Amino acid sequence: MSCQKAALELNTGSQPGPKSPERTEDVTAFEDYGTGLLENQLSVCDFVKIQKAFESPEPRKIICMSREDFTQKMTEIVGWGTKEEYGELFDKVDVAQDGFINWDKLTSFILLELNKQDERAKATVVPQWKDLEFLPVKHKDNIQKVIFLKSSSHYLTISKEGLLAIWGENLKLQETFPITSDATKLKHLWVTSLVSLENVNKIAVAFTSKEICFYDLLSKEEFACQYKLQGLKGTPICMDYWYDPLDANESILSFGDITGKVQAIAFTAALISLFERPASACEDGEATMTINWAELLSGCHKCCHILEHKLHQGDWVRQVTYNASLDAIISSTTSNTKSVVLAWREKSKKHLHMTSFNIAQGIHAFDYHSRLNLIATAGINNKVCLWNPYVVSKPVGVLWGHSASVIAVQFFVERKQLFSFSQDKVLRLWDIQHQLSIQRIACSFPESQDFRCLFHFDEAHGRLFISFNNRLALLAMKSDASKRVKSHEKAVTCVLYNSLLKQVISSDTGSTVSFWMIDTGQKIKQFTGCHGNAEISTMALDANETRLLTGSTDGTVKIWDFNGYCHHTLNVGQDGAVDISQILILKKTILVTGWERAITVFRPQNFNQFFIQPEEWKGGIQHHHDILCAAFLPPQTVVTGSYDGEIVLWNSSTESAHHVLHPDYQRLLKSKLDTKPQKLLSAGRSHSTHPVADQSTMGVRNFEIDTEGKNAVMRLCFLKVRKNTAVTGGANLVSCGGSGYVRFWDIYKKQLLAEFLAHSGAGTIIMSTDKMNRYLTTGDLDGWLKIWNIEEYCLNSSKNKITKAPTLIRSFQPHEDRISSLEMCELGGQLLIISSSADCSICVTGVCNAPVWIFGQAKHWHIENYLFLPKRDTNLVESDIQKEISLFSKEESCLDPTEHSLLNKKNKDDSTYNVRPSEDINLGIKYKERSTCMKETQKPYYGEVIKKSFSAFRSLSIGVLEELPEVNKPAFLLDPEKYFRKEPEEEHPQIPEAPSLFETLKAVFDEKNLFPKEILDRERKAKQLCQEKSCEVKKNKK
């Protein structure tokens, strides 16, 4: 805990006094007692006085005080408190009983006490829940498992009949697949369990046919079985998978069966191959490889070994898991003897040492908290017991409260709380420290008495899943409204900046678009129901920034003006729901991507109706997976990125693709078309009938599928300022996405120049760059933002790929949930970063350690008073300028510097929101040099040294202006009296007064001559319609 945070938590007043509001809950009794302690009543002023008492006039000398000296001096210096109270404080600080304390010991004790108070407060926070909802599942039998894939941000559910469902992070069902075993396709074949092998992008499914099948999530086939483990002695009914985050090759798959056996496969080279391929196996990489259990037991496969035990003695193993902190396999049964067994791995790692707990009537489930070192068990006898894994005689705690058998338990790890769910459908949340129930929820669950229940809490997203047979219920946690300002009522999906109006435009999942003033944070207008109730997934502005395009999950893109009038509706999804990820506006086309492998194109010159249908993209299909993003580089280069990591380069004029880039290979594309597209597993794709181009691989390297999930392309950005890379080399394209990686590409040489890990363990990330391509901002799923200095990163081509990251300027967490959109803009010479998040907020901040403001906060801000953009160096030597001119590319003269609109051309108080104190600041040398002069105004310089120009005329040679010859003053300045003297006034004849309008009016005004015919006809029809309706009403009354 930082000293800043500690100071904030101390009382700010100088006088003590416990503040203990009356409470009746037992869980807060200890806190009320704690507020009366002396250390909790000391204020900041008191600590300043105490610190001065420990200061020595001599440098580097530490003053220590005995108990008597401390109590005497503190009562005199602080001015309140008894000697007995200060004596108790001394005893608490002097844990080692040295007989003396110093200032370091005292502050360490105070910080630890404040940390404990934080933990206690966190443990007693009761979460608020949204209304219970049932997800629209397609399962017809019991749901066996719910898992979340961090690498792709998808949920998977599987049911007994073998139907696998893929859900988006927004919990919308995207696709379903039937999973069956090829051994027997009988009606009684059931799926018993499912686990995710995250490190190798696979899933393992257990069947009642005594098989475990391993499916590759990145396979070319629709759902290909890569390995099939056969020959098991018993039917596996529960599984668990673990891998070492520091060495992903080390992993363990554990499972229990109906015969009481607990078995585990320890893999040692998982990233290379789970099992060794036999010599007789088919050479086809997609063929299923059959593995016999007897082969594994005999040690034929050198890349793995087997661990097993039979201590459960024939009872069905209901749950099994491997825990790395214990280095033990934990399993449970419903038996009252050896209900929980811990199989400890010995030093050889191939033998097990067993200990067990005996629990009356047995248990249904268990969970382990590594930081608390506790095992929680869901007892059939209505009790939840807490066990120390090293003490098998009795539990360390018993949680009473359920009136029926407890069927599920799971720890809320961060808050050190515990969920439990009982047979009578009552959910309880427990405070582990005080062993008290702090929340009881009895929702309107199904009334069925006989049900199969699955319990899964996704802590990262605050979602609790409870299944009842084939129905799946969701309880979602509410964000803490008291601590967080909301910009929207629902999760924000996209944010844009309109430099013309100096406004921020934002959209949310509730189909609302809001407009904000960026300099004050004031909301100026809001459009609701833009797409009915459908989510707005993305937005875009046209080149003139006078039209707004919104893309929605209802399968349409709408074109709006800023008065809220919709001019056109683009039918993207062909009247179906699709997931639109990006709208890219070019000179003559609008490209829409996100839900399939083809590009959907609209041509604005054909916008002669309100509803517009898509036209054919001449390039057909070149991707093997869904297109997630796109970018444009004038005059005619378009790139598209897909989920499998491929980046396709297109010519926007001919609409043809010519190259494919991938971190592991590159391919040259032919123009010949193939009408047999390949199918891939993809969340939310639709099966398209577009032609697929024939591909030929460059060199000898074959097509490879990424097995680590690092390559999904979520964003693409061109570095448009780097116009001379065609001559000098260097990166001009940036991509980011899967597993937190950022990559820099040279599209002219078709080369990956750099790759670095921007966000470790954060899943997919997004990014944005400023117009001058000096800074890159990245955001992750946990709400963290990082700002990088890329101005001099990858300026030259290199034979070896760069893995060193650029200079990290700032790292902070402005959001509590996934960052959905990023935008970088300049306002009055100040560089700003705008971010939106699924936590319903939109934030704006600066590059260098600036405050974070939230749109929607009560007090408006004046942003120009806080932020200063680091200025560029003006003292550039003339040689550098000449070098810049010489490197100017010939191709640059072909670039069109302007883009025209595709669409209709008619046309306070200051307040900041404090982020977490854990903020990393690391400024580069050049950045610091700039920041020292950032408050100085830039004066024009007329000498030989000039400032760098980034306009279209920067290649012109600009010399020193010659002095003009002296100019004689004109005659009207030498003799102003001659030219400007006043002439004598002449008498003018009196102008007769005009007659009045009444006297000259010959006819009355005719209304038909005042207004256009269209308005009069419209008014006449409205009056006629009103009269007809009034007549109908009178008839109905009669």
Coordinates of all heavy atoms in Angstrom, one line a residue, residues 479-507:
S479 N -22.1 -3.0 -11.2 CA -20.9 -2.2 -10.8 C -21.2 -1.3 -9.7 O -22.4 -0.8 -9.5 CB -20.4 -1.4 -12.0 OG -21.4 -0.5 -12.5
D480 N -20.3 -0.9 -8.9 CA -20.5 -0.1 -7.7 C -20.8 1.4 -8.1 O -19.9 2.1 -8.5 CB -19.3 -0.1 -6.8 CG -19.6 0.5 -5.4 OD1 -20.6 1.1 -5.3 OD2 -18.8 0.3 -4.5
A481 N -22.1 1.7 -8.2 CA -22.5 3.0 -8.7 C -22.0 4.2 -7.8 O -21.8 5.3 -8.3 CB -24.0 3.1 -8.8
S482 N -21.7 3.9 -6.5 CA -21.3 5.0 -5.6 C -19.9 5.4 -5.9 O -19.5 6.5 -5.6 CB -21.5 4.5 -4.2 OG -20.6 3.4 -3.9
K483 N -19.1 4.5 -6.5 CA -17.7 4.8 -6.7 C -17.3 5.1 -8.1 O -16.2 5.6 -8.4 CB -16.8 3.6 -6.2 CG -16.9 3.4 -4.7 CD -15.9 2.3 -4.3 CE -16.0 2.0 -2.8 NZ -15.1 0.9 -2.4
R484 N -18.3 4.9 -9.0 CA -17.9 5.0 -10.4 C -18.9 5.9 -11.2 O -20.2 5.7 -11.0 CB -18.0 3.6 -11.1 CG -17.5 3.6 -12.5 CD -16.0 3.8 -12.6 NE -15.5 4.0 -13.9 CZ -14.2 4.3 -14.2 NH1 -13.3 4.3 -13.3 NH2 -13.9 4.5 -15.4
V485 N -18.4 6.8 -11.9 CA -19.3 7.7 -12.7 C -19.6 7.0 -14.0 O -18.7 6.4 -14.6 CB -18.6 9.0 -13.0 CG1 -19.4 9.9 -13.9 CG2 -18.3 9.8 -11.7
K486 N -20.9 7.1 -14.4 CA -21.3 6.4 -15.6 C -21.5 7.5 -16.7 O -22.2 8.5 -16.5 CB -22.6 5.6 -15.4 CG -22.4 4.3 -14.7 CD -23.7 3.5 -14.7 CE -23.5 2.2 -14.0 NZ -24.8 1.4 -14.0
S487 N -21.0 7.2 -17.9 CA -21.3 8.1 -19.0 C -22.5 7.6 -19.8 O -23.3 8.4 -20.3 CB -20.1 8.1 -20.0 OG -18.9 8.3 -19.3
H488 N -22.7 6.3 -19.8 CA -23.9 5.7 -20.4 C -24.6 4.8 -19.4 O -24.0 4.3 -18.5 CB -23.6 4.9 -21.7 CG -23.3 5.8 -22.9 ND1 -24.1 5.8 -24.0 CD2 -22.3 6.6 -23.2 CE1 -23.7 6.6 -24.9 NE2 -22.5 7.1 -24.4
E489 N -25.9 4.5 -19.6 CA -26.6 3.5 -18.8 C -26.1 2.1 -19.0 O -26.2 1.3 -18.2 CB -28.1 3.7 -19.0 CG -28.7 4.9 -18.4 CD -28.5 5.0 -16.9 OE1 -28.7 4.0 -16.2 OE2 -28.2 6.1 -16.4
K490 N -25.7 1.9 -20.3 CA -25.2 0.5 -20.7 C -23.8 0.6 -21.2 O -23.2 1.7 -21.3 CB -26.2 -0.1 -21.7 CG -27.6 -0.3 -21.2 CD -28.4 -1.1 -22.2 CE -29.8 -1.3 -21.6 NZ -30.6 -2.1 -22.5
A491 N -23.2 -0.6 -21.4 CA -21.8 -0.7 -21.8 C -21.5 0.1 -23.1 O -22.3 0.0 -24.0 CB -21.4 -2.1 -22.0
V492 N -20.5 0.9 -23.0 CA -20.1 1.7 -24.2 C -19.3 0.9 -25.2 O -18.4 0.1 -24.8 CB -19.2 2.9 -23.8 CG1 -19.0 3.9 -24.9 CG2 -19.9 3.7 -22.6
T493 N -19.7 1.0 -26.5 CA -19.1 0.1 -27.5 C -18.1 0.8 -28.4 O -17.2 0.2 -28.9 CB -20.2 -0.5 -28.3 OG1 -21.0 0.5 -28.9 CG2 -21.1 -1.5 -27.5
C494 N -18.3 2.1 -28.6 CA -17.5 2.8 -29.6 C -17.4 4.3 -29.2 O -18.3 4.8 -28.6 CB -18.0 2.6 -31.0 SG -16.9 3.3 -32.3
V495 N -16.3 4.9 -29.5 CA -16.1 6.3 -29.3 C -15.4 7.0 -30.5 O -14.4 6.3 -31.0 CB -15.4 6.6 -28.0 CG1 -13.9 6.1 -28.0 CG2 -15.4 8.1 -27.6
L496 N -15.8 8.1 -30.9 CA -15.2 8.9 -32.0 C -15.0 10.3 -31.6 O -15.6 10.8 -30.7 CB -16.1 8.9 -33.3 CG -16.5 7.5 -33.9 CD1 -17.5 7.7 -35.0 CD2 -15.2 6.8 -34.4
Y497 N -14.1 11.0 -32.4 CA -13.8 12.4 -32.1 C -14.1 13.2 -33.4 O -13.5 12.8 -34.5 CB -12.4 12.7 -31.7 CG -12.1 14.2 -31.5 CD1 -12.7 14.9 -30.5 CD2 -11.2 14.8 -32.3 CE1 -12.5 16.2 -30.3 CE2 -10.9 16.2 -32.1 CZ -11.6 16.9 -31.1 OH -11.3 18.2 -31.0
N498 N -15.0 14.2 -33.3 CA -15.2 15.0 -34.5 C -14.4 16.3 -34.3 O -14.8 17.2 -33.5 CB -16.8 15.3 -34.5 CG -17.2 16.1 -35.8 OD1 -16.5 17.0 -36.3 ND2 -18.3 15.7 -36.4
S499 N -13.4 16.4 -35.1 CA -12.5 17.6 -35.0 C -13.2 18.9 -35.5 O -12.8 20.0 -35.1 CB -11.2 17.4 -35.7 OG -11.4 17.1 -37.1
L500 N -14.1 18.7 -36.4 CA -14.8 19.9 -36.9 C -15.7 20.6 -35.8 O -15.7 21.8 -35.7 CB -15.7 19.4 -38.1 CG -16.3 20.5 -39.0 CD1 -15.2 21.2 -39.7 CD2 -17.3 19.9 -39.9
L501 N -16.4 19.8 -35.0 CA -17.3 20.3 -34.0 C -16.6 20.3 -32.6 O -17.2 20.8 -31.6 CB -18.6 19.5 -34.0 CG -19.4 19.5 -35.3 CD1 -20.6 18.6 -35.1 CD2 -19.8 20.9 -35.7
K502 N -15.4 19.7 -32.5 CA -14.7 19.5 -31.2 C -15.6 18.7 -30.2 O -15.8 19.2 -29.1 CB -14.3 20.8 -30.6 CG -13.2 21.5 -31.5 CD -12.7 22.8 -30.8 CE -11.6 23.4 -31.6 NZ -11.8 23.7 -33.0
Q503 N -16.2 17.6 -30.7 CA -17.1 16.8 -29.9 C -16.7 15.4 -29.9 O -16.1 14.9 -30.9 CB -18.6 16.9 -30.5 CG -19.2 18.3 -30.4 CD -20.5 18.4 -31.0 OE1 -21.1 17.4 -31.5 NE2 -21.1 19.6 -31.0
V504 N -17.0 14.7 -28.8 CA -16.8 13.2 -28.7 C -18.2 12.6 -28.9 O -19.2 13.0 -28.3 CB -16.3 12.9 -27.3 CG1 -16.2 11.4 -27.1 CG2 -14.9 13.5 -27.1
I505 N -18.2 11.6 -29.8 CA -19.4 10.8 -30.1 C -19.3 9.4 -29.5 O -18.3 8.7 -29.8 CB -19.7 10.8 -31.6 CG1 -19.6 12.2 -32.2 CG2 -21.1 10.1 -31.9 CD1 -19.7 12.2 -33.7
S506 N -20.3 8.9 -28.8 CA -20.2 7.6 -28.2 C -21.5 6.8 -28.4 O -22.5 7.4 -28.5 CB -19.9 7.7 -26.6 OG -20.9 8.5 -26.0
S507 N -21.4 5.5 -28.4 CA -22.5 4.6 -28.6 C -22.5 3.5 -27.5 O -21.4 3.2 -27.0 CB -22.5 4.0 -30.0 OG -21.4 3.2 -30.2

